[in-house]
Amino acid sequence: MPYEPPTHAVERSLRATTGAKTVAGVDEVGRGAWAGPVTVCAAVTGLRRPPAGLTDSKLISAKRRAELAPLLESWVTAFGLGEASPQEIDDLGMTAALRLAAVRALEALPVRPDAVILDGKHDYLGPPWRVRTVIKGDQSCIAVAAASVIAKVRRDTMMAELGADSGEYAAFAFDANAGYPSPVHRAALEEWGPTPHHRLSWSYLDALPRWQHLKKVRISAEAAALESGGQLGFDF
């Protein structure tokens, strides 16, 4: 089905109401994966017309995403990428790990943005960043859509290379599932157990009796509760 193309409406609103000159769109990928980092992209686009077909990365085929990402990287005014590793996710919980990755992405920009458009309804960035949250911002906001495609392609490529570089990870089919839940991924976990690239605090280990002893329990129950929704928010 056709989708309405994203616009600069939110960015224009932020410029008009806050005086912001540089506005970054921020989106993440990898929140619902069992393995691999969570990756965040911050993109600054100005108010120019984007390449044709830009929308939320989840609504674009893998082939089209791969074609669009390099166009976007050349088209945007600037972009920055940040990651939080599986170990950081285990230690901090998903909410804090998302903030860490987002701050790394924003700090990778050549200019600090005056305002940030954050995809979703929860502000996981907080002060000192001036944030406007937008539900389905990756569909409606050009800068966020651009960030979503760049982040998705970068992380998918990294996960595919991880599987290709080492035969010991071939059974996990990271090139096909990018570390997300899948029957092949689950079967490999049952047979071989988690790799150093898996998140060990997540509930998938509860269903793997042979490997339950490896589960990592965070000290903060509050952090675990905040993050529990992320395990179900698979963002293929």
Side-chain angles (χ1 to χ4, degrees):
M1 62 179 291
Y3 297 92
E4 289 293 322
T7 71
H8 289 299
V10 177
E11 185 171 346
R12 291 182 189 276
S13 172
L14 280 169
R15 288 169 176 255
T17 59
T18 70
K21 294 181 179 180
T22 302
V23 179
V26 171
D27 199 15
E28 54 76 23
V29 64
R31 185 197 299 250
W34 287 344
V38 62
T39 300
V40 174
C41 180
V44 178
T45 64
L47 298 175
R48 293 172 295 136
R49 184 187 299 274
L54 176 64
T55 187
D56 172 13
S57 64
K58 297 186 289 297
L59 304 178
I60 307 173
S61 69
K63 180 176 183 296
R64 179 55 183 154
R65 283 197 303 263
E67 296 169 347
L68 190 55
L71 297 177
L72 289 169
E73 291 183 13
S74 299
W75 170 77
V76 297
T77 302
F79 74 93
L81 288 157
E83 291 184 344
S85 69
Q87 292 74 29
E88 288 171 327
I89 293 169
D90 287 336
D91 290 341
L92 302 173
M94 181 54 75
T95 300
L98 274 173
R99 186 179 194 279
L100 181 63
V103 169
R104 286 169 174 168
L106 288 163
E107 291 182 343
L109 293 170
V111 178
R112 183 184 178 92
D114 303 307
V116 174
I117 304 172
L118 189 62
D119 180 53
K121 63 181 179 180
H122 298 299
D123 177 8
Y124 55 76
L125 260 174
W129 305 95
R130 178 184 290 168
V131 175
R132 173 79 60 85
T133 58
V134 179
I135 295 173
K136 294 188 177 180
D138 46 11
Q139 292 184 36
S140 61
C141 302
I142 287 174
V144 180
S148 77
V149 173
I150 293 171
K152 176 68 173 168
V153 172
R154 286 294 188 99
R155 186 183 183 280
D156 282 359
T157 300
M158 181 274 292
M159 293 300 294
E161 291 173 349
L162 176 65
D165 286 347
S166 176
E168 64 182 312
Y169 302 141
F172 293 89
F174 289 146
D175 59 328
N177 60 49
Y180 286 92
S182 75
V184 171
H185 193 169
R186 183 182 294 276
L189 279 166
E190 290 176 348
E191 178 68 20
W192 303 104
T195 73
H197 304 284
H198 279 85
R199 302 168 188 182
L200 298 182
S201 59
W202 282 46
S203 59
Y204 70 85
L205 278 170
D206 295 337
L208 301 173
R210 184 179 173 190
W211 308 104
Q212 281 181 2
H213 65 286
L214 297 177
K215 187 171 182 180
K216 185 172 184 178
V217 179
R218 282 190 301 277
I219 296 175
S220 170
E222 179 182 1
L226 283 171
E227 178 249 330
S228 62
Q231 296 190 42
L232 302 177
F234 303 147
D235 48 358
F236 289 95

